[in-house]
Amino acid sequence: MTAAAEPRTVRREISPVLAFLGRRLLGAFVALFVASIVIFAALNILPGNPASVILGRNATPQAEAVLTKRMQLDRPATTRYADWLEGFVHGDLGVSAVSLAQGQHESVWQQISGPLKNSAILAAIAALFMIPLSIGLGVIGPIFPGKAVDHAISVLSLGAIALPEFVTGSLLIGVFFVALDWLPPVAIVPPGGNPLDNPSQLVLPVLTLLFASLAAGIRMVRAGMTEVLQTEYVQTARLNGVAERRVLSRYALRNALAPSVQVLAQNLQWLIGGIIITESVFAYPGIGTTLVNAVQNRDVTVVQSVAMLIAVVYVVLNLLADLVVMLLVPKLREPV
């Protein structure tokens, strides 16, 4: 008589990619929740009444009391935070505090949608050039080590890293407007207009962004490519007669890109949320200029909404970068 078969537990292994996505999504939600608390607390514990700052020194107590009530500053901070967060999750960014002081009811989205589109266009154009140039120039150096082209790329990237954006922008204006009179020094877009209607005015802002963001990507790709080209499997492929183009594209570049993806993602994050200086230099009506104006006017609702949107973009790009790294490196997709 055979022994009764013991019940077998069917264990289904979760895909490493799905497990990774689950962990990262959970971490992203936690990070955004913490960011929302920090942003709200930082803007609402500042000394002074935002209503009195918006109205100015000549405002009467009665006017301050009316605006305080309109801005709902008389409610507990926890209640205002909960309402703001709930509205943000549902796409309602609230009403501009400055518009309330002016007796209007302009929503934050109405105020920032145009500048947000302008910044997205500027950042997208810069990214279209930044990613292929970072990879291409970063790969050329290790292929020709010690050659003139390698030294030229290294020196130029080091120089670009050393220069802040306002210096780079001023130099470009001096060369292309003052000296050559080829390009306009400002990038003014009328309200409701499209920056692409006059592409020449975008050239200098895009060049400034590229000089500021390319260097880090180039040097990271170059370092990764140099390290990978010295590994045993690359040397073995070369000794076995594999074509150099295939060695570079299949064995070297793919592995060299993995650590560079995070740097490229950080550059993209900077393009979205950190172009404030570039927009100010060229008077470009983007989200950076809007944020600076909102801070000066103490428009709390605009500042906290823009800051939260930038935080969302940062988290999403980090998530995508981690996913790309996982797809590039097969070892990371193996079950633990």
Side-chain angles (χ1 to χ4, degrees):
M1 183 176 179
T2 59
E6 295 182 357
R8 297 179 58 185
T9 302
V10 179
R11 183 179 179 182
R12 300 181 60 183
E13 293 185 353
I14 300 176
S15 166
V17 176
L18 293 179
F20 166 80
L21 277 178
R23 291 194 302 271
R24 294 296 291 160
L25 282 174
L26 179 61
F29 283 120
V30 173
L32 289 175
F33 179 65
V34 173
S36 69
I37 295 175
V38 172
I39 291 170
F40 186 87
L43 292 172
N44 285 271
I45 63 175
L46 292 175
N49 185 351
S52 63
V53 175
I54 293 171
L55 292 173
R57 295 180 178 179
N58 298 325
T60 63
Q62 292 78 10
E64 288 185 16
V66 171
L67 184 56
T68 299
K69 190 166 185 62
R70 286 180 180 175
M71 294 174 63
Q72 301 182 351
L73 296 175
D74 53 342
R75 303 170 64 200
T78 52
T79 305
R80 284 186 281 133
Y81 167 74
D83 290 345
W84 168 67
L85 186 61
E86 182 182 2
F88 186 89
V89 171
H90 290 87
D92 181 9
L93 304 183
V95 180
S96 165
V98 173
S99 73
L100 287 176
Q102 296 171 344
Q104 303 171 359
H105 200 272
E106 186 182 17
S107 70
V108 173
W109 179 248
Q110 286 178 318
Q111 194 170 110
I112 70 172
S113 57
L116 198 62
K117 183 193 73 174
N118 294 340
S119 290
I121 291 174
L122 184 63
I125 295 173
L128 284 177
F129 290 98
M130 183 196 73
I131 295 175
L133 284 175
S134 297
I135 297 174
L137 295 176
V139 168
I140 289 175
I143 295 177
F144 304 100
K147 304 291 185 182
V149 64
D150 183 25
H151 291 306
I153 293 174
S154 297
V155 171
L156 289 176
S157 60
L158 281 174
I161 287 178
L163 292 178
E165 298 95 309
F166 66 90
V167 175
T168 305
S170 301
L171 289 175
L172 291 174
I173 291 174
V175 173
F176 291 100
F177 174 68
V178 178
L180 302 175
D181 196 19
W182 286 356
L183 296 169
V186 294
I188 299 176
V189 181
N194 190 336
L196 298 177
D197 291 339
N198 186 9
S200 63
Q201 67 180 356
L202 298 179
V203 174
L204 293 185
V206 169
L207 284 178
T208 303
L209 292 174
L210 286 177
F211 274 108
S213 60
L214 262 179
I218 291 174
R219 298 194 65 78
M220 195 67 196
V221 174
R222 184 185 184 282
M225 196 71 180
T226 302
E227 182 179 352
V228 171
L229 287 177
Q230 296 173 352
T231 55
E232 293 183 355
Y233 62 86
V234 170
Q235 299 298 332
T236 302
R238 283 173 168 167
L239 291 174
N240 287 332
V242 179
E244 185 66 15
R245 179 177 297 181
R246 184 177 175 83
V247 171
L248 293 176
S249 61
R250 184 177 177 82
Y251 297 97
L253 182 59
R254 185 168 182 172
N255 291 292
L257 280 181
S260 307
V261 171
Q262 293 290 351
V263 176
L264 295 176
Q266 289 175 3
N267 288 339
L268 291 175
Q269 295 163 357
W270 178 83
L271 287 177
I272 298 297
I275 56 180
I276 298 173
I277 297 175
T278 302
E279 290 182 352
S280 299
V281 170
F282 296 98
Y284 186 76
I287 196 64
T289 304
T290 303
L291 182 60
V292 171
N293 293 333
V295 171
Q296 291 174 342
N297 296 327
R298 194 71 187 275
D299 199 332
V300 177
T301 49
V302 172
V303 174
Q304 64 190 18
S305 296
V306 172
M308 194 63 201
L309 285 174
I310 292 174
V312 171
V313 172
Y314 268 61
V315 169
V316 170
L317 287 176
N318 267 323
L319 190 63
L320 292 176
D322 289 343
L323 184 61
V324 170
V325 171
M326 193 168 198
L327 295 177
L328 283 174
V329 183
K331 186 177 180 180
L332 297 178
R333 302 196 296 271
E334 295 176 354
V336 180

